[in-house]
């Protein structure tokens, strides 16, 4: 009999890719998602093989029913998207904190042996070491800035997972993804926003392309299929009470990212510097030595991943939802 996995946030971007992959790998897959930000169409091709619990991740009783018989709960539910951190910080915190508590307690009550929790690179804010290992201090620079509603909620989620889960789970793991991207990732992240603007610039015949900051800010971008493989590798080969970075260690400037997207779209962008949002991070790049030791590293190049992502957004330009959370 197939082992059961419950994925919270399975209608989200990374969650849905994980759902499809785990169905393909022969797991008995259940999804917990309110479908407020999530979208079941993201895993439509395997929907018949997935048990869907349309409930709130903060509802412990509903979670206990969903978690029954599971070998592992993979907790990915969150309100993501930088725009949401600034505009809806209370909701970001509520879902982050109450969700983490409800998940850990429901897993305990349902006797689930293994727990995997998604954190974020945002827990470092402005890391002092680049590439950044898992061991440096976590940072909350300014509790007045709503941007840190997300990073702060993930710091607390990690504490909840490791401490509330301490005596109640066979295995507790946290992964910190770094700038995951791919087709159907939503509309409030840097890649889709750049892609949509580049497509509009091409159509208008005007390559003027203002950006936040001067474009020398860096990130390391990891394609979603690689991230899913990383999560599964960590779960299979990683240790109990361990934290793993899942990302790329290729550092790329935002200016370079925009230029690559412009090239794929077919327009020479005139990139113009602008104000950097308060709380933005100058450099971010993951040290993935720990994951490499488990035999995992990214396989999809940035350009290949961007080509696939641009193709999806070009084809689905009219699908952008009115829903402000997306």
């Amino acid at each position: 009999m197939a082992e059961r996995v419950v994925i919270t946030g399975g209608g989200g971007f990374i969650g849905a890719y994980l759902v499809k992959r785990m169905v393909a790998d022969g797991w008995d897959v259940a999804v917990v998602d309110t479908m407020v930000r999530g979208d079941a169409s993201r895993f439509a091709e395997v929907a018949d093989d997935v048990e869907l619990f349309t409930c709130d991740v903060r509802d412990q009783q509903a979670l206990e029913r969903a978690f029954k018989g599971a070998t592992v709960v993979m907790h990915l539910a969150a309100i993501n998207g930088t725009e949401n951190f600034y505009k809806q910080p209370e909701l970001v915190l509520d879902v982050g904190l109450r969700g983490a508590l409800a998940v850990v307690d429901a897993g305990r009550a349902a006797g689930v042996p293994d727990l995997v929790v998604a954190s974020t690179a945002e827990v470092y804010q402005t890391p002092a070491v680049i590439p950044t290992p898992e061991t440096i201090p976590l940072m909350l620079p300014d509790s007045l800035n709503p941007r840190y509603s997300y990073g702060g909620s993930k710091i607390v989620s990690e504490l909840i997972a490791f401490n509330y889960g301490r005596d109640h789970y066979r295995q507790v793991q946290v992964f910190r993804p770094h700038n995951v991207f791919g087709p159907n990732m939503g509309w409030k992240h840097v890649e889709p926003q750049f892609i949509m603007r580049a497509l509009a610039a091409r159509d208008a015949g005007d390559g003027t392309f203002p950006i936040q900051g001067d474009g020398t800010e860096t990130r390391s971008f990891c394609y979603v299929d690689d991230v899913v493989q990383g999560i599964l590798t960590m779960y299979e080969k990683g240790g109990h009470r361990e934290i793993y970075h899942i990302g790329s260690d290729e550092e790329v400037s935002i200016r370079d990212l925009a230029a690559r997207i412009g090239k794929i779209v077919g327009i020479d962008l005139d990139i113009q510097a602008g104000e950097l949002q308060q709380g933005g991070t100058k450099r971010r790049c993951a040290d993935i030595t720990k994951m490499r030791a488990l035999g995992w590293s990214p396989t999809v190049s940035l350009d290949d991943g961007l080509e696939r992502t641009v193709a999806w957004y070009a084809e689905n330009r009219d699908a952008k939802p009115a829903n402000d959370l997306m």
Side-chain angles (χ1 to χ4, degrees), residues 250-289:
E250 178 194 358
E251 195 175 359
V252 176
S253 76
I254 297 301
R255 182 174 285 270
D256 182 25
L257 178 75
R260 288 178 192 227
I261 288 171
K263 189 176 173 190
I264 294 166
V265 166
I267 183 165
D268 191 12
L269 296 175
D270 175 19
I271 297 163
Q272 299 183 340
E275 285 290 304
L276 193 61
Q277 255 182 315
Q278 193 66 38
T281 303
K282 185 75 179 160
R283 290 177 69 195
R284 187 174 289 146
C285 181
D287 181 335
I288 54 171
T289 306

mmCIF file of all heavy atoms in Angstrom, residues 250-289:
data_model
loop_
_atom_site.group_PDB
_atom_site.id
_atom_site.type_symbol
_atom_site.label_atom_id
_atom_site.label_comp_id
_atom_site.label_asym_id
_atom_site.label_seq_id
_atom_site.Cartn_x
_atom_site.Cartn_y
_atom_site.Cartn_z
ATOM 1 N N GLU A 250 24.434 29.963 -8.228
ATOM 2 C CA GLU A 250 24.862 30.886 -9.294
ATOM 3 C C GLU A 250 24.235 32.250 -9.021
ATOM 4 O O GLU A 250 23.019 32.420 -9.087
ATOM 5 C CB GLU A 250 24.386 30.360 -10.665
ATOM 6 C CG GLU A 250 24.759 31.280 -11.815
ATOM 7 C CD GLU A 250 24.010 30.949 -13.112
ATOM 8 O OE1 GLU A 250 23.235 29.982 -13.141
ATOM 9 O OE2 GLU A 250 24.197 31.696 -14.080
ATOM 10 N N GLU A 251 25.077 33.223 -8.673
ATOM 11 C CA GLU A 251 24.588 34.554 -8.312
ATOM 12 C C GLU A 251 24.401 35.391 -9.574
ATOM 13 O O GLU A 251 25.309 35.501 -10.396
ATOM 14 C CB GLU A 251 25.598 35.220 -7.361
ATOM 15 C CG GLU A 251 25.063 36.421 -6.642
ATOM 16 C CD GLU A 251 26.052 36.973 -5.611
ATOM 17 O OE1 GLU A 251 27.155 36.415 -5.444
ATOM 18 O OE2 GLU A 251 25.704 37.977 -4.972
ATOM 19 N N VAL A 252 23.209 35.964 -9.716
ATOM 20 C CA VAL A 252 22.859 36.688 -10.945
ATOM 21 C C VAL A 252 22.317 38.067 -10.568
ATOM 22 O O VAL A 252 21.500 38.175 -9.646
ATOM 23 C CB VAL A 252 21.770 35.910 -11.739
ATOM 24 C CG1 VAL A 252 21.325 36.698 -12.964
ATOM 25 C CG2 VAL A 252 22.278 34.543 -12.141
ATOM 26 N N SER A 253 22.743 39.116 -11.284
ATOM 27 C CA SER A 253 22.224 40.451 -10.986
ATOM 28 C C SER A 253 20.820 40.609 -11.570
ATOM 29 O O SER A 253 20.454 39.950 -12.558
ATOM 30 C CB SER A 253 23.146 41.537 -11.546
ATOM 31 O OG SER A 253 22.979 41.645 -12.951
ATOM 32 N N ILE A 254 20.037 41.489 -10.959
ATOM 33 C CA ILE A 254 18.674 41.752 -11.424
ATOM 34 C C ILE A 254 18.713 42.352 -12.839
ATOM 35 O O ILE A 254 17.871 42.058 -13.683
ATOM 36 C CB ILE A 254 17.938 42.694 -10.435
ATOM 37 C CG1 ILE A 254 17.795 42.016 -9.063
ATOM 38 C CG2 ILE A 254 16.582 43.109 -10.973
ATOM 39 C CD1 ILE A 254 17.035 40.694 -9.053
ATOM 40 N N ARG A 255 19.719 43.176 -13.095
ATOM 41 C CA ARG A 255 19.889 43.742 -14.446
ATOM 42 C C ARG A 255 20.107 42.621 -15.473
ATOM 43 O O ARG A 255 19.524 42.633 -16.559
ATOM 44 C CB ARG A 255 21.092 44.698 -14.422
ATOM 45 C CG ARG A 255 21.381 45.411 -15.736
ATOM 46 C CD ARG A 255 22.497 46.423 -15.542
ATOM 47 N NE ARG A 255 22.028 47.603 -14.838
ATOM 48 C CZ ARG A 255 21.531 48.689 -15.453
ATOM 49 N NH1 ARG A 255 21.432 48.709 -16.768
ATOM 50 N NH2 ARG A 255 21.131 49.723 -14.760
ATOM 51 N N ASP A 256 20.935 41.658 -15.114
ATOM 52 C CA ASP A 256 21.215 40.525 -16.004
ATOM 53 C C ASP A 256 19.946 39.686 -16.215
ATOM 54 O O ASP A 256 19.651 39.246 -17.321
ATOM 55 C CB ASP A 256 22.346 39.676 -15.413
ATOM 56 C CG ASP A 256 22.745 38.503 -16.305
ATOM 57 O OD1 ASP A 256 22.521 38.583 -17.526
ATOM 58 O OD2 ASP A 256 23.276 37.515 -15.780
ATOM 59 N N LEU A 257 19.189 39.498 -15.120
ATOM 60 C CA LEU A 257 17.937 38.744 -15.229
ATOM 61 C C LEU A 257 16.986 39.419 -16.224
ATOM 62 O O LEU A 257 16.408 38.767 -17.103
ATOM 63 C CB LEU A 257 17.264 38.640 -13.858
ATOM 64 C CG LEU A 257 15.912 37.908 -13.856
ATOM 65 C CD1 LEU A 257 16.102 36.401 -13.996
ATOM 66 C CD2 LEU A 257 15.119 38.223 -12.587
ATOM 67 N N ALA A 258 16.824 40.740 -16.092
ATOM 68 C CA ALA A 258 15.944 41.486 -16.996
ATOM 69 C C ALA A 258 16.423 41.366 -18.441
ATOM 70 O O ALA A 258 15.623 41.140 -19.358
ATOM 71 C CB ALA A 258 15.873 42.950 -16.573
ATOM 72 N N ALA A 259 17.744 41.488 -18.644
ATOM 73 C CA ALA A 259 18.291 41.402 -20.001
ATOM 74 C C ALA A 259 18.060 40.020 -20.612
ATOM 75 O O ALA A 259 17.723 39.881 -21.797
ATOM 76 C CB ALA A 259 19.785 41.730 -19.974
ATOM 77 N N ARG A 260 18.219 38.969 -19.790
ATOM 78 C CA ARG A 260 17.986 37.597 -20.281
ATOM 79 C C ARG A 260 16.525 37.409 -20.684
ATOM 80 O O ARG A 260 16.224 36.772 -21.693
ATOM 81 C CB ARG A 260 18.360 36.571 -19.208
ATOM 82 C CG ARG A 260 19.857 36.432 -18.974
ATOM 83 C CD ARG A 260 20.088 35.422 -17.859
ATOM 84 N NE ARG A 260 21.449 35.410 -17.377
ATOM 85 C CZ ARG A 260 22.171 34.303 -17.183
ATOM 86 N NH1 ARG A 260 21.659 33.118 -17.451
ATOM 87 N NH2 ARG A 260 23.393 34.371 -16.728
ATOM 88 N N ILE A 261 15.616 37.942 -19.861
ATOM 89 C CA ILE A 261 14.187 37.832 -20.172
ATOM 90 C C ILE A 261 13.876 38.603 -21.456
ATOM 91 O O ILE A 261 13.162 38.105 -22.331
ATOM 92 C CB ILE A 261 13.336 38.336 -18.987
ATOM 93 C CG1 ILE A 261 13.409 37.318 -17.835
ATOM 94 C CG2 ILE A 261 11.882 38.576 -19.404
ATOM 95 C CD1 ILE A 261 12.799 37.786 -16.529
ATOM 96 N N GLY A 262 14.453 39.816 -21.584
ATOM 97 C CA GLY A 262 14.258 40.612 -22.798
ATOM 98 C C GLY A 262 14.719 39.863 -24.044
ATOM 99 O O GLY A 262 14.028 39.839 -25.072
ATOM 100 N N LYS A 263 15.871 39.223 -23.944
ATOM 101 C CA LYS A 263 16.423 38.466 -25.077
ATOM 102 C C LYS A 263 15.476 37.338 -25.493
ATOM 103 O O LYS A 263 15.226 37.116 -26.681
ATOM 104 C CB LYS A 263 17.790 37.906 -24.681
ATOM 105 C CG LYS A 263 18.567 37.294 -25.844
ATOM 106 C CD LYS A 263 19.944 36.843 -25.384
ATOM 107 C CE LYS A 263 20.643 36.086 -26.508
ATOM 108 N NZ LYS A 263 21.879 35.442 -26.023
ATOM 109 N N ILE A 264 14.942 36.605 -24.498
ATOM 110 C CA ILE A 264 14.030 35.487 -24.794
ATOM 111 C C ILE A 264 12.733 36.018 -25.414
ATOM 112 O O ILE A 264 12.204 35.447 -26.374
ATOM 113 C CB ILE A 264 13.728 34.677 -23.509
ATOM 114 C CG1 ILE A 264 14.999 33.980 -23.014
ATOM 115 C CG2 ILE A 264 12.632 33.639 -23.770
ATOM 116 C CD1 ILE A 264 14.898 33.442 -21.591
ATOM 117 N N VAL A 265 12.231 37.141 -24.874
ATOM 118 C CA VAL A 265 10.993 37.744 -25.393
ATOM 119 C C VAL A 265 11.225 38.332 -26.783
ATOM 120 O O VAL A 265 10.320 38.363 -27.623
ATOM 121 C CB VAL A 265 10.485 38.828 -24.401
ATOM 122 C CG1 VAL A 265 9.428 39.723 -25.026
ATOM 123 C CG2 VAL A 265 9.935 38.162 -23.143
ATOM 124 N N GLY A 266 12.451 38.815 -27.015
ATOM 125 C CA GLY A 266 12.789 39.369 -28.332
ATOM 126 C C GLY A 266 12.802 40.884 -28.358
ATOM 127 O O GLY A 266 12.423 41.507 -29.345
ATOM 128 N N ILE A 267 13.238 41.491 -27.248
ATOM 129 C CA ILE A 267 13.370 42.956 -27.237
ATOM 130 C C ILE A 267 14.620 43.340 -26.464
ATOM 131 O O ILE A 267 14.960 42.720 -25.454
ATOM 132 C CB ILE A 267 12.122 43.649 -26.637
ATOM 133 C CG1 ILE A 267 12.285 45.168 -26.723
ATOM 134 C CG2 ILE A 267 11.851 43.213 -25.203
ATOM 135 C CD1 ILE A 267 11.028 45.965 -26.522
ATOM 136 N N ASP A 268 15.301 44.374 -26.968
ATOM 137 C CA ASP A 268 16.491 44.888 -26.294
ATOM 138 C C ASP A 268 16.015 45.918 -25.269
ATOM 139 O O ASP A 268 15.566 47.003 -25.636
ATOM 140 C CB ASP A 268 17.412 45.540 -27.347
ATOM 141 C CG ASP A 268 18.784 45.858 -26.762
ATOM 142 O OD1 ASP A 268 19.069 45.377 -25.656
ATOM 143 O OD2 ASP A 268 19.546 46.588 -27.426
ATOM 144 N N LEU A 269 16.068 45.563 -23.998
ATOM 145 C CA LEU A 269 15.511 46.426 -22.951
ATOM 146 C C LEU A 269 16.488 47.524 -22.553
ATOM 147 O O LEU A 269 17.689 47.276 -22.385
ATOM 148 C CB LEU A 269 15.153 45.598 -21.712
ATOM 149 C CG LEU A 269 14.043 44.549 -21.882
ATOM 150 C CD1 LEU A 269 13.894 43.728 -20.609
ATOM 151 C CD2 LEU A 269 12.720 45.209 -22.257
ATOM 152 N N ASP A 270 15.965 48.725 -22.407
ATOM 153 C CA ASP A 270 16.738 49.856 -21.888
ATOM 154 C C ASP A 270 16.445 49.942 -20.383
ATOM 155 O O ASP A 270 15.464 50.554 -19.959
ATOM 156 C CB ASP A 270 16.314 51.138 -22.622
ATOM 157 C CG ASP A 270 17.000 52.368 -22.040
ATOM 158 O OD1 ASP A 270 18.030 52.206 -21.345
ATOM 159 O OD2 ASP A 270 16.487 53.481 -22.264
ATOM 160 N N ILE A 271 17.297 49.287 -19.593
ATOM 161 C CA ILE A 271 17.040 49.124 -18.155
ATOM 162 C C ILE A 271 17.421 50.403 -17.417
ATOM 163 O O ILE A 271 18.543 50.892 -17.527
ATOM 164 C CB ILE A 271 17.818 47.905 -17.621
ATOM 165 C CG1 ILE A 271 17.312 46.633 -18.319
ATOM 166 C CG2 ILE A 271 17.661 47.789 -16.112
ATOM 167 C CD1 ILE A 271 18.236 45.447 -18.196
ATOM 168 N N GLN A 272 16.451 50.945 -16.667
ATOM 169 C CA GLN A 272 16.656 52.228 -15.989
ATOM 170 C C GLN A 272 16.506 52.056 -14.478
ATOM 171 O O GLN A 272 15.517 51.509 -13.998
ATOM 172 C CB GLN A 272 15.638 53.252 -16.518
ATOM 173 C CG GLN A 272 15.803 53.474 -18.019
ATOM 174 C CD GLN A 272 14.871 54.534 -18.576
ATOM 175 O OE1 GLN A 272 13.852 54.863 -17.971
ATOM 176 N NE2 GLN A 272 15.202 55.064 -19.730
ATOM 177 N N ALA A 273 17.520 52.555 -13.757
ATOM 178 C CA ALA A 273 17.546 52.400 -12.298
ATOM 179 C C ALA A 273 16.452 53.226 -11.639
ATOM 180 O O ALA A 273 16.018 54.253 -12.167
ATOM 181 C CB ALA A 273 18.909 52.822 -11.759
ATOM 182 N N GLY A 274 15.996 52.742 -10.464
ATOM 183 C CA GLY A 274 14.981 53.472 -9.697
ATOM 184 C C GLY A 274 15.230 53.307 -8.212
ATOM 185 O O GLY A 274 16.283 52.818 -7.790
ATOM 186 N N GLU A 275 14.270 53.729 -7.417
ATOM 187 C CA GLU A 275 14.359 53.598 -5.955
ATOM 188 C C GLU A 275 14.240 52.129 -5.558
ATOM 189 O O GLU A 275 13.410 51.404 -6.097
ATOM 190 C CB GLU A 275 13.215 54.367 -5.294
ATOM 191 C CG GLU A 275 13.402 55.876 -5.288
ATOM 192 C CD GLU A 275 14.506 56.327 -4.344
ATOM 193 O OE1 GLU A 275 14.436 56.002 -3.148
ATOM 194 O OE2 GLU A 275 15.455 56.966 -4.831
ATOM 195 N N LEU A 276 15.048 51.702 -4.593
ATOM 196 C CA LEU A 276 14.928 50.357 -4.032
ATOM 197 C C LEU A 276 13.935 50.422 -2.874
ATOM 198 O O LEU A 276 14.003 51.330 -2.051
ATOM 199 C CB LEU A 276 16.285 49.862 -3.539
ATOM 200 C CG LEU A 276 16.418 48.372 -3.209
ATOM 201 C CD1 LEU A 276 16.143 47.513 -4.427
ATOM 202 C CD2 LEU A 276 17.801 48.062 -2.653
ATOM 203 N N GLN A 277 12.991 49.466 -2.825
ATOM 204 C CA GLN A 277 12.007 49.466 -1.731
ATOM 205 C C GLN A 277 12.707 49.308 -0.388
ATOM 206 O O GLN A 277 13.679 48.559 -0.270
ATOM 207 C CB GLN A 277 11.006 48.317 -1.933
ATOM 208 C CG GLN A 277 9.659 48.803 -2.425
ATOM 209 C CD GLN A 277 8.666 47.666 -2.571
ATOM 210 O OE1 GLN A 277 8.982 46.614 -3.094
ATOM 211 N NE2 GLN A 277 7.455 47.884 -2.112
ATOM 212 N N GLN A 278 12.189 49.999 0.608
ATOM 213 C CA GLN A 278 12.744 49.917 1.966
ATOM 214 C C GLN A 278 12.720 48.456 2.439
ATOM 215 O O GLN A 278 11.684 47.814 2.419
ATOM 216 C CB GLN A 278 11.889 50.773 2.908
ATOM 217 C CG GLN A 278 12.507 51.023 4.262
ATOM 218 C CD GLN A 278 13.759 51.872 4.210
ATOM 219 O OE1 GLN A 278 13.847 52.800 3.429
ATOM 220 N NE2 GLN A 278 14.752 51.536 5.013
ATOM 221 N N GLY A 279 13.896 47.943 2.800
ATOM 222 C CA GLY A 279 13.947 46.563 3.280
ATOM 223 C C GLY A 279 14.413 45.582 2.221
ATOM 224 O O GLY A 279 14.509 44.389 2.469
ATOM 225 N N GLY A 280 14.694 46.076 1.029
ATOM 226 C CA GLY A 280 15.212 45.197 -0.024
ATOM 227 C C GLY A 280 16.612 44.706 0.328
ATOM 228 O O GLY A 280 17.351 45.364 1.064
ATOM 229 N N THR A 281 16.979 43.562 -0.207
ATOM 230 C CA THR A 281 18.272 42.945 0.105
ATOM 231 C C THR A 281 19.216 43.087 -1.086
ATOM 232 O O THR A 281 18.831 42.816 -2.211
ATOM 233 C CB THR A 281 18.076 41.447 0.422
ATOM 234 O OG1 THR A 281 17.148 41.336 1.497
ATOM 235 C CG2 THR A 281 19.377 40.795 0.822
ATOM 236 N N LYS A 282 20.457 43.502 -0.811
ATOM 237 C CA LYS A 282 21.417 43.790 -1.889
ATOM 238 C C LYS A 282 21.886 42.512 -2.591
ATOM 239 O O LYS A 282 21.920 42.441 -3.813
ATOM 240 C CB LYS A 282 22.603 44.551 -1.288
ATOM 241 C CG LYS A 282 23.631 45.015 -2.303
ATOM 242 C CD LYS A 282 23.157 46.201 -3.109
ATOM 243 C CE LYS A 282 24.251 46.645 -4.094
ATOM 244 N NZ LYS A 282 23.717 47.449 -5.197
ATOM 245 N N ARG A 283 22.266 41.532 -1.805
ATOM 246 C CA ARG A 283 22.771 40.276 -2.408
ATOM 247 C C ARG A 283 22.150 39.077 -1.707
ATOM 248 O O ARG A 283 21.952 39.096 -0.493
ATOM 249 C CB ARG A 283 24.295 40.167 -2.259
ATOM 250 C CG ARG A 283 25.096 41.124 -3.083
ATOM 251 C CD ARG A 283 26.580 40.945 -2.784
ATOM 252 N NE ARG A 283 27.117 39.682 -3.270
ATOM 253 C CZ ARG A 283 28.297 39.163 -2.889
ATOM 254 N NH1 ARG A 283 29.041 39.795 -1.996
ATOM 255 N NH2 ARG A 283 28.724 38.020 -3.377
ATOM 256 N N ARG A 284 21.857 38.044 -2.489
ATOM 257 C CA ARG A 284 21.395 36.791 -1.887
ATOM 258 C C ARG A 284 21.832 35.630 -2.774
ATOM 259 O O ARG A 284 21.538 35.607 -3.961
ATOM 260 C CB ARG A 284 19.875 36.791 -1.713
ATOM 261 C CG ARG A 284 19.385 35.566 -0.936
ATOM 262 C CD ARG A 284 17.909 35.630 -0.640
ATOM 263 N NE ARG A 284 17.594 36.645 0.359
ATOM 264 C CZ ARG A 284 16.488 37.359 0.365
ATOM 265 N NH1 ARG A 284 15.595 37.204 -0.578
ATOM 266 N NH2 ARG A 284 16.272 38.247 1.308
ATOM 267 N N CYS A 285 22.522 34.689 -2.170
ATOM 268 C CA CYS A 285 22.962 33.498 -2.899
ATOM 269 C C CYS A 285 23.177 32.379 -1.884
ATOM 270 O O CYS A 285 23.780 32.590 -0.835
ATOM 271 C CB CYS A 285 24.256 33.783 -3.659
ATOM 272 S SG CYS A 285 24.861 32.371 -4.604
ATOM 273 N N ALA A 286 22.636 31.202 -2.201
ATOM 274 C CA ALA A 286 22.671 30.086 -1.255
ATOM 275 C C ALA A 286 23.981 29.316 -1.344
ATOM 276 O O ALA A 286 24.484 29.050 -2.434
ATOM 277 C CB ALA A 286 21.519 29.133 -1.558
ATOM 278 N N ASP A 287 24.504 28.948 -0.189
ATOM 279 C CA ASP A 287 25.549 27.922 -0.122
ATOM 280 C C ASP A 287 24.811 26.582 -0.034
ATOM 281 O O ASP A 287 24.064 26.343 0.919
ATOM 282 C CB ASP A 287 26.423 28.146 1.116
ATOM 283 C CG ASP A 287 27.563 27.123 1.238
ATOM 284 O OD1 ASP A 287 27.424 26.007 0.695
ATOM 285 O OD2 ASP A 287 28.569 27.446 1.895
ATOM 286 N N ILE A 288 24.992 25.724 -1.045
ATOM 287 C CA ILE A 288 24.230 24.462 -1.077
ATOM 288 C C ILE A 288 25.130 23.244 -0.840
ATOM 289 O O ILE A 288 24.801 22.123 -1.229
ATOM 290 C CB ILE A 288 23.433 24.309 -2.396
ATOM 291 C CG1 ILE A 288 24.342 24.455 -3.620
ATOM 292 C CG2 ILE A 288 22.299 25.332 -2.455
ATOM 293 C CD1 ILE A 288 23.653 24.105 -4.934
ATOM 294 N N THR A 289 26.248 23.490 -0.147
ATOM 295 C CA THR A 289 27.186 22.401 0.168
ATOM 296 C C THR A 289 26.486 21.233 0.864
ATOM 297 O O THR A 289 26.739 20.058 0.576
ATOM 298 C CB THR A 289 28.321 22.926 1.079
ATOM 299 O OG1 THR A 289 28.918 24.050 0.445
ATOM 300 C CG2 THR A 289 29.360 21.863 1.342
#
